[in-house]
């Protein structure tokens, strides 16, 4: 058997982990809920939730991953032999594949819009209703979105086929700096638009009156999704981290990058939205309908500028979605390679095919299958609700309980302090958070999903 691959450097670890973390959650979700829950006041709550609850879960996953050096199922089997923990590990192999099946549909939309932006079609001389109408027509058609979903999945599979060093690491090391550059370019463009200051005020004005109970739950839920917790991606990536690497430093590096990207995305999007006199809407509509129109309208008479900005914008969504998607696929691939002895090529192709098929249902649920509802939800919405509201927090709970209550304190300490050589003074606090605060935080997310 070939020796297990490792990420080559600290930068590679953080680029890959931050690549997984920074995704659609940062680019369209964060800017919108930030404003909704009181701007700067929400950022404070978000930072506290990230530090006290999300980051400890991140550390818990890292500990399991690196200590076992294998996939999520194998990790539980290795660290808790003969116990049912491994079944929980298996669950966290299925959830990222489920997420990927609908994430890839949205990733496909960004491929389509990138082509559109390139061919001037969106930014040509069109009215608002034409742009808005284009999005609805596109997603409700049958073949075009399927083609885009296929292209996106092919890219994901192509990167994962390359393995850790030549695939995931190499791609993330290029994609993440490029992504930052592209978003910063849009920030500059956005802030130079007349009227953009209203957007800045919206983001910066701390409005503590909007910090209601569900703002706290939203902050926690967002931190969870944004850091890719509870679905084994952190665990799997950590299994490729060398023993000398400082897990606390790479965890903090990832969380800080994730926050920076979310904030920068907010500063790229909201000033433009306000400059064009729009209300900040939520979800795919903001990114795929309002923004293409804004880029067009605000660059009136300068098609080159609007094309450049649109291309930069959809390229950044595509890059962010790809680096997240590869981490989801890698969880399953690692399982088939480590547990079933399958070759990487076969494992990648097999899982990509399965995810692609499931994604077809999600894609069609905006069009020909829009009438098919399960529990009142379309396939797409059902999968999203199942994963974000239930599977992710459940996985997170499993990981923190495992590290906080099943593993011995000495083993956890050994892993987080690299045998007592680093983070020694910090360990007590981190351990306390993993053992007590993180599980309580997750239960709070569950309760809020049930009652708020
Ligand atoms: N964190 C990613 C985002 O913000 C989503 C994700 C979830 C990635 C789960 C991997 C695993 O879009």
């Amino acid at each position: 058997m070939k020796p297990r691959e490792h990420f080559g450097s600290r930068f590679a670890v953080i680029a890959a982990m931050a690549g997984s973390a920074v995704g659609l959650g940062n680019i369209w979700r964060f800017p919108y809920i930030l404003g909704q829950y009181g701007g700067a006041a929400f950022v404070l709550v978000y930072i506290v939730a990230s530090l006290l609850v999300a980051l400890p879960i991140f550390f818990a996953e890292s500990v399991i991953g690196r200590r076992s050096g294998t996939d999520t199922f194998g990790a539980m089997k290795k660290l808790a032999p003969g116990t049912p923990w491994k079944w929980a590990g298996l669950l966290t192999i299925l959830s990222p594949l489920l997420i990927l099946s609908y994430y890839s549909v949205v990733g496909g939309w960004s491929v389509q819009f990138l082509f559109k932006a390139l061919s001037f079609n969106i930014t040509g001389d069109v009215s608002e209703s034409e742009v808005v109408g284009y999005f609805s027509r596109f997603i409700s058609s049958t073949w075009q979105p399927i083609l885009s979903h296929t292209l996106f999945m092919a890219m994901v599979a192509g990167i994962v086929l390359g393995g850790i060093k030549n695939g995931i690491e190499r791609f993330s090391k290029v994609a993440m700096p490029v992504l930052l550059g592209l978003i910063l370019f849009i920030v500059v463009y956005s802030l130079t638009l007349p009227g953009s200051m209203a957007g800045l005020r919206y983001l910066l004005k701390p409005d503590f009156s909007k910090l209601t109970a569900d703002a706290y739950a939203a902050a926690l839920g967002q931190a969870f999704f944004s850091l890719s917790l509870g679905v084994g991606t952190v665990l799997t990536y950590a299994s490729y981290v060398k023993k000398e690497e400082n897990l606390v430093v790479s965890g903090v590096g990832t969380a800080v990058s994730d926050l920076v990207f979310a904030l920068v995305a907010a500063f790229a999007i909201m000033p433009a939205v306000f400059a064009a006199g729009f209300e900040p809407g939520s979800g795919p509509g903001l990114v795929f309908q309002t923004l293409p129109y804004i880029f067009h309208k605000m660059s009136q008479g300068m098609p080159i500028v609007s094309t450049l900005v649109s291309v930069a914008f959809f390229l950044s969504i595509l890059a962010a979605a790809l680096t997240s998607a590869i981490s989801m696929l890698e969880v399953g691939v690692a399982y088939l390679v480590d547990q079933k002895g399958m070759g990487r090529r076969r494992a990648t192709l097999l899982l990509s095919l399965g995810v692609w098929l499931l994604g077809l249902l999600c894609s069609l649920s905006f069009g020909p299958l829009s009438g098919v509802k399960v529990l009142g939800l379309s396939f797409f919405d059902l999968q999203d609700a199942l994963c974000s509201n239930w599977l992710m927090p459940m996985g997170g709970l499993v990981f923190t309980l495992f590290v906080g209550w099943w593993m011995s304190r000495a083993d956890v300490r050994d892993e987080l302090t690299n045998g007592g050589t680093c983070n020694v003074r910090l360990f007590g606090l981190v351990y306390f958070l993993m053992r007590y605060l993180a599980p309580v935080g997750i239960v709070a997310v569950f309760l809020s999903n049930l009652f708020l």
Side-chain angles (χ1 to χ4, degrees), residues 392-407:
M392 294 187 89
M394 217 141 81
L397 192 60
V398 166
F399 293 136
T400 47
L401 292 181
F402 188 82
V403 173
W405 297 89
W406 174 269
M407 283 178 75

Side-chain angles (χ1 to χ4, degrees), residues 421-432:
T421 57
C422 56
N423 317 318
V424 179
R425 277 203 268 160
L426 214 73
F427 174 72
L429 173 68
V430 173
Y431 192 64
F432 170 81

Side-chain angles (χ1 to χ4, degrees), residues 20-21 23-26 99 103 225-226 228 231 233 324 327-328 392:
S20 169
L24 301 169
N26 302 58
I99 299 180
Y103 208 84
F225 187 81
S226 198
S228 317
V231 290
T233 50
S324 295
S327 72
M328 300 177 202
M392 294 187 89

Side-chain angles (χ1 to χ4, degrees), residues 111-125 134 303 307-308 310-311:
V111 177
Q112 170 74 11
F113 274 73
L114 183 59
F115 283 134
K116 274 270 152 196
L118 270 174
S119 67
F120 280 80
N121 282 353
I122 267 186
T123 48
D125 195 15
Y134 174 74
T307 304
L308 265 181
S310 306
V311 167

Side-chain angles (χ1 to χ4, degrees), residues 305-327:
V305 176
S306 69
T307 304
L308 265 181
V309 179
S310 306
V311 167
F313 184 66
F314 289 110
L315 201 58
S316 59
I317 296 186
L318 178 61
L322 274 176
T323 49
S324 295
I326 53 179
S327 72

